[in-house]
Amino acid sequence: MLALIGRRVLIALPTLFLVALFVFALQRALPGDPFLVIAGEERDPEVIAKLREIYRMDDPIFVQFFAWLGQVVQGDFGRSLRTGVPVLGLIWQKLGVTVQLAVASMIVAVGIGLPAGIIAARRKDTLADYTASAVALFGLSVPHFWLGIMLILVVSVELKWLPASGFESIFVDPKASIERLIMPAFVLGGGLAAFIMRHTRSAMLEVLRSDYVRTARAKGLDEDTVVNRHALRNALVPIITLSTLLFGELLAGAVLTEQVFTIPGFGKLIIDAVFNRDYGVVQGVVLCTAIGFILMNLLADVLYVLVNPRLRSG
Amino acid sequence: MKLLTTLASAGLLALAALPVAAQTPSTLRVGLQEDPDMLDPHKARTFVGRIVFKGLCDKLLDITPELKLVPRLATEWSFSADGLTLTMKLRTDAKFHDGDVFNAEAAKANLERARTLPDSLRKSELASVDSIETPDASTIVMKLKRPDATLLAQLTDRAGMMLAPKSLSGDVATKPVCSGPYKFVERVQNDRIVLEKFKEHWEAANYHFDRIIYRSIPDTTVRLANLRAGELDILERLAPTDVKSAQADKSIKVMSVANLGYQGITINTNNGDGAKQPMGMDKRVRQALSLSIDRKVLNDAVFDGLYEPIIQPFNPGNPYLSAEFPVPARDVAKAKALLKEAGLSKVSVELFVTNNPVQAQVGQVIQAMAQETGIDVQVRSTEFASQLRDQQQGKFQMSLIGWSGRIDPDGNLHQFVTTKGNQNDGKYSNAEVDKALDEARTIYDVAGRKRHYDAAQKFLQDELPIVYLYNDKRYFALRANLQGFVINPDGMIRLSGLKRQ
């Protein structure tokens, strides 16, 4: 297992280097001068020149790149051009927010998707199956932005059941945190629930048709035991892989949901950073997202092996 | 199952035992359109940042809604007869949040930092200051290089804000220590800035909230939804399209004021190849463009008739407005005649707009109106950072761009139309205009100054390097139970006197 992890980490390093290079180059190729924006409304040429000097903008681009990379390797991602806050601290702070949102969304997604998929598979071609499929299709096709605004207008403004937006850490104020996470988690997790439901359904159907399930039934075991003890365990393998990948997807895909519910997470951070040409923040965020994806893939593989012992030898 | 039930009930108990969250009665929650930038008054540049500084940092002077100067940390002030010395008396009962006393030395340290820090954005605002003296602990004397009528107005904002001297060497941008009515507690970028009442402030009795939370909510619909749901007490920059629905809600009050700035079209008259086309070279074509726009219809179509049409760089009601230049009625025949006089039957020109729906709409309305007079406007939309850069480099023919405005008339004109102005992106140049605007800076009385602005406007209204379109009035929405909000054309939220009924 350790060898597997080690091998994967080694492969990841050149990937990360390429990502860093790519982002850096792309960022510099963007039109627009951040210092014109940062120098403020007055745009004093003297100030702009000074800022360019401070940020070494007049050096050749590869000199800038390796200077930046050198700092990053030492754990220094620089400071935000816009607010003067250290980038790494910012990323940790925002990551904490988005991970909480992603976990909540995952709970919604799995909590709805998994049981719905199992029920749909066990009652194939009945009303329950059709209903679950129809709801899933709806969940997949509704745009996050629209659903978010509708929820705010109905649940917060009209019914006044939940706060309209914002974020509170679960570790600081659990009640306020949960209240604020319900709607965004539902919006973000709803679409994924549909995805998980469809995959659970097909995986279960496949397993329920297999020989060992027939054997188990032939032994005279009751249907619940067959499904829960024998079938589900094997059907879970592809679903766990899918879920971990989806979790990575969630981290990156929370952008719109965070925008609607004004959750100060990773997605909002990157949108604002791109619009403000906040170089250091964009580079830091993209690099960390890449690292996140690589870790998620690794985790998926490890879980895969853990859940399915047959793969352990390989 | 039993375990589950136990866990669930334990969880519920834990939730019930928690203190009631955040919303204690003495917290004021303010909704901002953007997240402020650095919280260092000498380096900060955003409009929303200034709103936060209002609570955090006291400044030497302030302005009233009528734009009159009033004392804050400076109690009285006077210029010498030659206009080259400004003497200010300072409060003796003001303190910084770290406990240090505010005095002339502290004021001097701040002003010196503002005008010498390499990346200070206040340098140009204090450019006329030559040296600063402190004859005693409550007097500060500024020696000027030239008479500067704009200086007092600068001291009503960031250039006149005071940071604790000990904090100046630290990380001001993320941990500001000022002397304002509220102290800095924490900031979560893109989310909130929390301030707490400074009990030792000299005017503490006028501030009724214990905490202020500024939240940035860029989406205007969501910002209003938060106010209606009771999550905010006041918000700034309500969108004109939301004004009617907000007014219909009885739990909300809507207030508005003409803003100090303007929105208009900057035309490239002299900056590289972009100027070498009829719109840049011939003032008659620019006059035709201005005459082809019905400013009232533009305002009705895009802003529900809530904004005010203008043709001068000053807000309606401003003492520097000239009666000589009323907003012209649309005149297609005259516009066509002007084009004919210029020897043209059709003009094609490109207009840059920022890529947001409202700006795009303004561009389209102008396009449709100009079309009828023979001016074919192609609207090109890009995001703001690119627009600014192209504009500065002269890679534009016309650009739809606004200005947030300054208290002093100089701030709305000088840098945009004088030959060496920092923001004169069209590189308009007229020696007479330069002279009039330079001189206006040195005169301290309003009537005398106005004559110079009128003189400059005579040329500007004829040559039209900037075609002014409308004043984007500022709308605020607040919970009906919030009392004491004094609306001011500078668009700031002053916390003094605000209380919940």
Side-chain angles (χ1 to χ4, degrees):
Chain A
M1 184 68 81
L2 277 178
L4 169 79
I5 295 174
R7 215 164 42 232
R8 293 291 299 270
V9 171
L10 273 182
I11 298 172
L13 287 177
T15 315
L16 283 175
F17 178 80
L18 286 178
V19 169
L21 186 67
F22 185 66
V23 178
F24 199 89
L26 206 63
Q27 172 101 19
R28 292 301 193 272
L30 275 183
D33 183 344
F35 300 99
L36 260 184
V37 182
I38 282 158
E41 284 194 323
E42 311 282 345
R43 288 152 48 194
D44 187 340
E46 205 187 310
V47 172
I48 293 173
K50 191 74 209 172
L51 283 169
R52 293 185 68 88
E53 190 190 313
I54 292 173
Y55 289 96
R56 312 178 63 159
M57 290 307 289
D58 299 319
D59 289 348
I61 183 164
F62 63 88
V63 175
Q64 291 179 42
F65 174 67
F66 283 104
W68 172 68
L69 200 66
Q71 285 181 334
V72 166
V73 171
Q74 293 166 43
D76 177 11
F77 280 65
R79 279 174 180 256
S80 157
L81 276 178
R82 185 179 152 83
T83 57
V85 175
V87 172
L88 201 60
L90 207 55
I91 288 174
W92 271 121
Q93 190 187 55
K94 302 303 171 194
L95 199 61
V97 173
T98 300
V99 165
Q100 288 183 39
L101 172 63
V103 169
S105 307
M106 214 60 214
I107 292 172
V108 171
V110 175
I112 297 175
L114 200 63
I118 296 170
I119 292 168
R122 284 183 65 177
R123 310 210 178 137
K124 189 168 168 289
D125 295 332
T126 64
L127 186 63
D129 184 20
Y130 295 138
T131 313
S133 298
V135 171
L137 190 65
F138 178 80
L140 276 177
S141 25
V142 169
H144 287 177
F145 202 80
W146 180 84
L147 185 61
I149 298 229
M150 284 302 130
L151 278 179
I152 290 177
L153 290 179
V154 175
V155 179
S156 302
V157 176
E158 291 306 321
L159 301 172
K160 303 206 189 299
W161 284 351
L162 291 170
S165 64
F167 176 82
E168 194 59 67
S169 170
I170 190 106
F171 306 109
V172 174
D173 187 342
K175 180 169 175 280
S177 172
I178 291 169
E179 281 176 357
R180 281 172 170 74
L181 275 176
I182 290 177
M183 287 198 290
F186 185 75
V187 168
L188 196 53
L192 292 188
F195 210 68
I196 291 177
M197 178 259 155
R198 311 268 316 203
H199 277 81
T200 309
R201 181 178 177 274
S202 53
M204 278 301 279
L205 282 177
E206 199 170 312
V207 173
L208 286 176
R209 273 198 300 268
S210 63
D211 291 344
Y212 71 87
V213 170
R214 203 175 318 127
T215 313
R217 282 196 183 124
K219 278 199 305 190
L221 291 177
D222 68 284
E223 190 64 14
D224 279 346
T225 316
V226 171
V227 171
N228 294 337
R229 296 276 299 277
H230 296 267
L232 189 57
R233 199 181 161 107
N234 285 299
L236 272 182
V237 175
I239 293 162
I240 284 175
T241 321
L242 182 74
S243 302
T244 40
L245 287 177
L246 285 179
F247 189 78
E249 202 80 42
L250 269 180
L251 286 182
V255 176
L256 273 183
T257 311
E258 287 182 5
Q259 198 71 15
V260 179
F261 291 98
T262 50
I263 295 169
F266 226 54
K268 233 170 115 32
L269 180 69
I270 194 160
I271 285 194
D272 288 2
V274 170
F275 272 111
N276 290 304
R277 298 284 188 277
D278 203 336
Y279 286 167
V281 176
V282 176
Q283 285 155 201
V285 167
V286 174
L287 203 58
C288 288
T289 311
I291 295 173
F293 260 92
I294 289 168
L295 286 180
M296 275 302 158
N297 275 305
L298 188 60
L299 185 68
D301 287 354
V302 172
L303 282 177
Y304 203 77
V305 174
L306 285 181
V307 173
N308 195 341
R310 270 180 301 178
L311 295 169
R312 252 176 234 174
S313 53
Chain B
M1 204 53 173
K2 208 170 182 185
L3 179 71
L4 260 182
T5 329
T6 321
L7 273 178
S9 43
L12 280 176
L13 273 176
L15 282 181
L18 281 164
V20 184
Q23 311 195 359
T24 48
S26 59
T27 300
L28 180 78
R29 295 148 309 164
V30 181
L32 304 176
Q33 179 164 301
E34 300 145 40
D35 193 38
D37 59 327
M38 305 195 185
L39 292 179
D40 178 342
H42 300 148
K43 294 186 188 176
R45 62 186 170 82
T46 53
F47 174 80
V48 281
R50 289 167 57 204
I51 298 182
V52 175
F53 285 131
K54 277 278 179 280
L56 196 59
C57 301
D58 237 339
K59 57 264 172 86
L60 294 170
L61 304 167
D62 199 6
I63 51 157
T64 64
E66 296 76 36
L67 304 186
K68 294 224 163 57
L69 294 167
V70 286
R72 286 301 292 176
L73 290 171
T75 51
E76 49 186 282
W77 54 92
S78 62
F79 280 101
S80 61
D82 62 1
L84 288 171
T85 308
L86 170 62
T87 308
M88 287 185 144
K89 280 279 172 201
L90 305 176
R91 297 197 76 87
T92 50
D93 56 352
K95 266 189 174 173
F96 290 106
H97 299 154
D98 63 359
D100 273 3
V101 177
F102 168 73
N103 55 24
E105 277 305 318
K108 180 180 170 170
N110 274 280
L111 291 166
E112 290 293 3
R113 181 177 187 261
R115 66 192 200 98
T116 56
L117 202 67
D119 50 347
S120 163
L121 296 181
R122 306 283 88 82
K123 274 184 182 165
S124 58
E125 298 169 16
L126 298 173
S128 63
V129 178
D130 190 38
S131 65
I132 301 166
E133 290 161 18
T134 53
D136 62 65
S138 63
T139 311
I140 187 159
V141 177
M142 289 181 230
K143 300 277 186 196
L144 309 184
K145 295 173 193 158
R146 50 183 159 80
D148 183 4
T150 70
L151 184 59
L152 288 176
Q154 305 295 8
L155 299 177
T156 66
D157 209 286
R158 291 167 294 196
M161 285 179 184
M162 296 292 136
L163 293 155
K166 272 189 208 134
S167 75
L168 291 179
S169 53
D171 198 355
V172 178
T174 55
K175 285 188 191 70
V177 184
C178 285
S179 68
Y182 291 90
K183 332 185 247 197
F184 179 77
V185 177
E186 64 158 344
R187 169 179 198 173
V188 181
Q189 193 166 320
N190 293 338
D191 180 34
R192 73 181 83 174
I193 293 170
V194 181
L195 309 183
E196 185 184 86
K197 186 165 173 173
F198 178 48
K199 297 206 172 67
E200 291 167 79
H201 187 258
W202 54 276
E203 212 194 12
N206 278 347
Y207 294 86
H208 306 292
F209 288 97
D210 295 328
R211 274 172 105 79
I212 313 288
I213 298 178
Y214 297 95
R215 284 183 57 200
S216 57
I217 306 178
D219 190 291
T220 49
T221 314
V222 175
R223 196 156 69 246
L224 181 61
N226 271 277
L227 184 79
R228 294 176 62 187
E231 292 275 301
L232 292 175
D233 295 300
I234 181 166
L235 63 84
E236 54 118 11
R237 277 181 276 179
L238 180 68
T241 41
D242 286 335
V243 166
K244 277 204 186 94
S245 87
Q247 278 168 338
D249 188 333
K250 284 207 173 56
S251 63
I252 289 175
K253 273 190 290 200
V254 177
M255 292 168 82
S256 69
V257 66
N259 132 46
L260 292 169
Y262 62 76
Q263 301 289 318
I265 302 173
T266 296
I267 297 169
N268 188 350
T269 54
N270 196 19
N271 191 356
D273 288 342
K276 295 190 180 106
Q277 33 81 29
M279 187 61 74
M281 292 189 299
D282 195 326
K283 71 179 182 188
R284 287 169 297 191
V285 180
R286 299 195 287 275
Q287 289 166 351
L289 173 73
S290 181
L291 280 173
S292 68
I293 300 169
D294 189 327
R295 289 167 172 77
K296 192 178 168 312
V297 169
L298 171 70
N299 167 45
D300 286 344
V302 188
F303 304 107
D304 275 3
L306 294 168
Y307 286 171
E308 197 139 352
I310 56 166
I311 192 166
Q312 300 182 47
F314 307 119
N315 59 305
N318 192 298
Y320 289 93
L321 268 186
S322 169
E324 261 181 79
F325 310 106
V327 178
R330 184 177 194 227
D331 194 336
V332 176
K334 198 169 163 196
K336 280 186 173 159
L338 279 164
L339 285 186
K340 205 168 168 194
E341 214 183 297
L344 299 157
S345 59
K346 206 154 179 60
V347 178
S348 181
V349 67
E350 201 175 65
L351 174 68
F352 266 143
V353 304
T354 314
N355 63 348
N356 69 54
V358 174
Q359 293 295 91
Q361 248 179 303
V362 173
Q364 285 155 8
V365 174
I366 290 169
Q367 181 181 50
M369 289 175 171
Q371 190 75 52
E372 286 177 42
T373 58
I375 301 173
D376 178 26
V377 177
Q378 286 127 39
V379 179
R380 206 176 119 190
S381 87
T382 100
E383 41 70 68
F384 189 59
S386 306
Q387 184 183 3
L388 264 190
R389 180 176 197 151
D390 286 352
Q391 202 179 297
Q392 205 197 30
Q393 295 181 341
K395 293 181 191 153
F396 78 108
Q397 298 181 346
M398 305 200 296
S399 182
L400 186 68
I401 194 153
W403 176 239
S404 69
R406 293 290 178 267
I407 308 158
D408 192 273
D410 183 79
N412 280 11
L413 262 179
H414 195 280
Q415 54 188 327
F416 297 96
V417 293
T418 53
T419 306
K420 288 183 183 156
N422 282 343
Q423 310 221 50
N424 183 357
D425 292 331
K427 298 261 184 270
Y428 171 76
S429 176
N430 179 328
E432 299 283 343
V433 171
D434 288 0
K435 194 165 150 256
L437 293 180
D438 282 346
E439 270 174 35
R441 285 183 155 183
T442 65
I443 298 168
Y444 292 106
D445 92 286
V446 173
R449 276 185 97 184
K450 184 167 182 295
R451 273 199 292 280
H452 288 81
Y453 287 111
D454 286 354
Q457 282 221 59
K458 238 189 189 90
F459 292 100
L460 296 172
Q461 293 292 343
D462 179 50
E463 294 176 343
L464 294 174
I466 300 174
V467 175
Y468 302 104
L469 296 174
Y470 61 92
N471 175 273
D472 49 343
K473 226 186 234 184
R474 294 205 182 274
Y475 281 87
F476 292 84
L478 42 152
R479 306 282 317 162
N481 63 358
L482 191 67
Q483 301 288 313
F485 178 57
V486 178
I487 197 162
N488 188 306
D490 68 4
M492 298 293 116
I493 296 171
R494 286 173 174 72
L495 302 170
S496 159
L498 272 183
K499 63 172 101 172
R500 198 175 283 132
Q501 219 176 26

